[in-house]
Amino acid sequence: MKSLLAWHARQIARHPRRVIAALVVVTLGAVLCLPRLTIESDLSALLPKDHPSLRLAEALSSEEASRTMWLLLEGADLAERLPVLEARLLESPLLETVDASADLPERAGLARATPEVLDALADALAPAERRAALERAKALLAQDPIAGRGLVQRDPFGLRWLLDEARLAAAPPGLDLDSGYLFWPERELALLMVRGRREPFDIDYSNALLDDLAARLEGVEWEALGGYDVARRDSTRIRGDMTRSLGWSIPLLLLALVLSTRSLVVPHLYVVPTLLAVVWALGYGGALVGPLTPLAVGSAAILMGLGVDFCIHYLDRYREERRTVGHALAVERAHVGTGRALFLGMATTLVAFGSLALGSFPGTASFGVLLALGLVGAWFAALSVLPLLAPSFPSLARRDDSPSRVVAALTRLGASRAGLPLALAGGALAVAGWVGALAGGLRFDADPSLLRPRDERFAARAAELDAALGASPLGLRVLVPAERDVTAAATAVASLLDDGLVARAEGPLAAVPGRRQRTTLAEFEERTAGWRAGAEADLVALGFRLEPFRATLDELADTLARPGDAPTPDVTFEGREYRSLTLHPPRTLAGRPARAAFRAEVEQRLGADVLFVDAAGLGDSLGPLLRGDLLWSLGVSAPLVALLVVLVLGAGRASFAALVPVFAGLGIVLGGLVVTGFPLHPGNLLALPLILGLGVDDGIHMVLRWREARGAAGPLRSTGRSIWRTTITTGIGFGSLLFARSPAIASLGALAGVGALVCFLATMLAVPHVLGRYDRAR
């Protein structure tokens, strides 16, 4: 590899114009591709598609459900304005349907009717009461033939009050049943449900739809709850995160490097090749992988931190060599002296991440492509752009003896009597962290809600929607095996309703009476046997014609008919038949513990083999899969990284020393996660392979410089200074992600930044002890 690097250095010195032309062509191509850069705000893209829960969700998912959105309207004059607003929405070419009606059941089904309601119905249908009601109806007709005729035909036996009572019991509290809308007068709140024509993650369509709604609902306070609003907010937040991370990282990088180098020129030379690499990665990566996931947008800031590392090591070495030799020879020595270490750091990072990207979560793929392109581009840019820029700045040949106080302090600390105990204590912490992690102390969670800010206004509005409807609008769909005893399943559903764990149950299985209801219904059927024949006879005896009453009698007979005992299975999944059931808890289940408790209760009553279709809790079952991916990544990447280090450094103390920083960095970070209980999820899991690459990079640079310097203090201090500068820039690159509103991106920056700092401390305090330098110094 040395000869290849030397050849590349000579080609740049001999043919600079060709190199410049090639760089211009590559950059122009990336710039032309940048307009194709799009962001996929669908957070489900981060999850594995072959998991049983996801297969079930996809098999039963309804496009109509994903295109449905609630509109919350508020105002003092809503009762009068609702018909006009409904008409405006119906005129929208972007909406497929508008459902503004209350859509409540006109009568309660017998399967869920209370014994009191059934007793009242049986009493009202008894011969004496039935005949008395018809006599009152006849008297009403005599008093007011026009108005009374319609009323008597609709309710000849006076049962409307009973049915209305059941209807009121089923309705949300405070709802105005007479308005025909979901309208709460006391709250001055109304709900409308709309359905779009396209999927919500068509961002352009979502923006157009919401803008159209704003125009049609002008003058009314309103808010959207659903996929289109979520998609727009996610897209806006993610783009803002990318803009802020780059906006913070670039000026902070320059400021830190200006303070470190005491130069206004050198920091810009560090940054220019890295910016080119970021442009190449975003341009070509966006064109290759299509829409980028929320995680991939953080790669730009990460590449700024990692890419500047390459430039710092290369340019610092070039300046050191330039003090004694000419430009061409200084370039060649910088190529040979740093090229191997930079390549190995890049390769180990790609190996570590590649093993994770090949796991179960495909959302890391676009991040991997961008990272791979960016790292290769940063390595190539550092070796190609800096030699072209260096001759234009003669000041680079001046001495650069500006010491780093941090490096000097750590060097003195490491050489002191406290140095070895401190290094051993850090090693013990790392070992404890690894033991805790491998013993199962890590917490894994793939809940997509972790990728959104906790202060999202949707949470407060969803609670308001729960209170208005008296139940969560997001029901949990449960599939009960068809071979399960229907009566037992219905009894279990009734117990969930009676205990208040479920506010509303829907589906064919919900209409089946349980054991207790069967007894009550049997008594009701016995008391009302022959009611229709008796009612027809009473009508004829009192002089009524039967024909006008047939529709009312048919409707009443349907209402009083006993529900079917065995509804037909309506779902088939992977060769097994199920009966579906939708359970609405009293409140939307927020958080994994609440969902787990609710599912456990349902499984206890309906059976452990029921299947759940719950988009909100989809990530709950993916934690073990995430843990398996981490073990896979460590099991594959650790041997490959160790092999790469051994191939470059050879077996022995040098290779062991180069691996010390990454062992310490990963161990202490994992231990911190175990102690704090902070979960690993698809967002921040990517920090671990990045820490691996950073740690190996620091160790390799120190070991190679130690060999080259043969123990001399000066070159080792200069390398330590370069590593400190790269730690600062890496920390800034990752630290800029802390300003992201997306928790996934923010936690990724926090973990990687802490890991980078630990790797630096281990490089300065522990690696010299392993190499034996501090022992000889004492």
Side-chain angles (χ1 to χ4, degrees), residues 62-69 88-98 193-210 212-213 216 227-228:
S62 169
E63 291 186 358
E64 291 186 355
S66 66
R67 293 186 283 111
T68 298
M69 182 170 64
R88 288 183 187 173
L89 294 175
L90 287 170
E91 294 173 355
S92 172
L94 300 178
L95 291 177
E96 182 179 281
T97 59
V98 176
M193 190 176 69
V194 298
R195 183 172 299 125
R197 296 185 180 277
R198 299 183 189 174
E199 287 301 307
F201 295 109
D202 181 342
I203 299 301
D204 293 336
Y205 175 80
S206 293
N207 289 331
L209 173 60
L210 292 169
D212 181 67
L213 291 178
R216 297 179 185 278
Y228 297 104

Side-chain angles (χ1 to χ4, degrees), residues 171-498:
L175 184 69
D176 182 2
L177 296 178
D178 297 328
S179 70
Y181 293 94
L182 285 171
F183 174 58
W184 288 261
E186 294 183 0
R187 301 187 182 197
E188 297 181 348
L189 172 72
L191 290 175
L192 285 77
M193 190 176 69
V194 298
R195 183 172 299 125
R197 296 185 180 277
R198 299 183 189 174
E199 287 301 307
F201 295 109
D202 181 342
I203 299 301
D204 293 336
Y205 175 80
S206 293
N207 289 331
L209 173 60
L210 292 169
D211 291 341
D212 181 67
L213 291 178
R216 297 179 185 278
L217 297 175
E218 185 178 2
V220 179
E221 293 185 22
W222 69 283
E223 190 165 0
L225 292 176
Y228 297 104
D229 181 59
V230 171
R232 179 161 74 173
R233 285 188 286 112
D234 282 348
S235 178
T236 302
R237 185 181 67 250
I238 292 166
R239 287 183 180 275
D241 288 344
M242 183 168 63
T243 303
R244 280 190 296 272
S245 63
L246 286 176
W248 277 99
S249 60
I250 294 175
L252 287 178
L253 280 173
L254 289 174
L255 177 62
L257 292 173
V258 166
L259 295 176
S260 176
T261 62
R262 301 177 184 179
S263 169
L264 294 176
V265 174
V266 173
H268 290 82
L269 294 181
Y270 290 151
V271 171
V272 168
T274 307
L275 284 175
L276 286 178
V278 171
V279 172
W280 297 344
L282 292 178
Y284 293 119
L288 286 174
V289 302
L292 303 181
T293 66
L295 302 180
V297 300
S299 61
I302 294 172
L303 286 173
M304 285 301 301
L306 295 177
V308 170
D309 294 356
F310 295 157
C311 298
I312 288 174
H313 282 293
Y314 184 90
L315 196 58
D316 285 357
R317 183 59 181 272
Y318 169 83
R319 298 181 71 189
E320 185 179 339
E321 299 292 344
R322 187 68 179 85
R323 293 198 297 266
T324 58
V325 299
H327 167 72
L329 187 55
V331 168
E332 185 171 339
R333 289 183 177 179
H335 264 62
V336 175
T338 62
R340 286 186 302 160
L342 296 179
F343 179 82
L344 187 58
M346 174 193 68
T348 52
T349 303
L350 294 182
V351 165
F353 183 81
S355 62
L356 188 61
L358 294 176
S360 303
F361 289 81
T364 58
S366 60
F367 185 96
V369 172
L370 284 185
L371 191 66
L373 289 175
L375 287 176
V376 173
W379 179 74
F380 178 76
L383 297 181
S384 302
V385 176
L386 290 177
L388 296 173
L389 297 176
S392 302
F393 301 93
S395 60
L396 294 177
R398 299 171 189 167
R399 293 184 63 84
D400 182 23
D401 293 329
S402 56
S404 169
R405 295 181 180 180
V406 174
V407 172
L410 290 175
T411 301
R412 289 193 300 270
L413 179 61
S416 67
R417 293 185 180 277
L420 182 59
L422 192 61
L424 292 176
L429 282 177
V431 170
W434 279 104
V435 171
L438 296 176
L442 288 175
R443 182 179 158 219
F444 297 88
D445 199 337
D447 187 351
S449 65
L450 293 172
L451 308 178
R452 291 193 176 102
R454 292 186 177 181
D455 61 348
E456 285 275 25
R457 62 183 180 177
F458 177 79
R461 282 313 223 173
E464 186 175 352
L465 186 60
D466 291 348
L469 294 175
S472 169
L474 304 175
L476 177 67
R477 193 173 182 186
V478 182
L479 303 185
V480 181
E483 61 269 20
R484 183 69 43 79
D485 180 70
V486 175
T487 302
T491 302
V493 173
S495 69
L496 289 170
L497 290 165
D498 293 340

Side-chain angles (χ1 to χ4, degrees), residues 44 142 146 155 161 176 181 221 280 349 360 403 446 488 526 567 612 691 697 740 762:
S44 66
I146 299 176
D155 186 20
W161 67 275
D176 182 2
Y181 293 94
E221 293 185 22
W280 297 344
T349 303
S360 303
E526 184 177 351
F612 296 96
I691 294 172
D697 185 56

Side-chain angles (χ1 to χ4, degrees), residues 295-296 353 356-357 363-364 367 681-691 748:
L295 302 180
F353 183 81
L356 188 61
T364 58
F367 185 96
H681 52 76
N684 58 27
L685 188 68
L686 303 174
L688 302 183
L690 292 172
I691 294 172
L748 169 63

Side-chain angles (χ1 to χ4, degrees), residues 61-199:
S61 65
S62 169
E63 291 186 358
E64 291 186 355
S66 66
R67 293 186 283 111
T68 298
M69 182 170 64
W70 288 93
L71 301 180
L72 278 74
L73 311 181
E74 293 180 291
D77 56 349
L78 275 181
E80 295 77 16
R81 301 192 63 180
L82 278 173
V84 177
L85 296 174
E86 180 184 8
R88 288 183 187 173
L89 294 175
L90 287 170
E91 294 173 355
S92 172
L94 300 178
L95 291 177
E96 182 179 281
T97 59
V98 176
D99 187 357
S101 64
D103 193 24
L104 293 172
E106 290 295 328
R107 53 190 179 274
L110 290 186
R112 298 290 171 251
T114 62
E116 292 77 13
V117 170
L118 292 177
D119 284 342
L121 283 173
D123 291 341
L125 290 174
E129 290 293 332
R130 188 177 63 229
R131 190 173 182 87
L134 289 177
E135 289 176 349
R136 290 193 294 271
K138 189 173 182 178
L140 177 62
L141 283 174
Q143 295 175 2
D144 189 354
I146 299 176
R149 180 177 181 181
L151 179 61
V152 169
Q153 287 182 356
R154 289 194 305 271
D155 186 20
F157 307 113
L159 301 179
R160 181 62 58 185
W161 67 275
L162 286 172
L163 300 178
D164 285 344
E165 183 179 337
R167 185 178 176 225
L168 284 171
L175 184 69
D176 182 2
L177 296 178
D178 297 328
S179 70
Y181 293 94
L182 285 171
F183 174 58
W184 288 261
E186 294 183 0
R187 301 187 182 197
E188 297 181 348
L189 172 72
L191 290 175
L192 285 77
M193 190 176 69
V194 298
R195 183 172 299 125
R197 296 185 180 277
R198 299 183 189 174
E199 287 301 307

Side-chain angles (χ1 to χ4, degrees), residues 361 394 520 548 559 657 725 762:
F361 289 81
T520 306
T559 301
R725 287 175 179 170

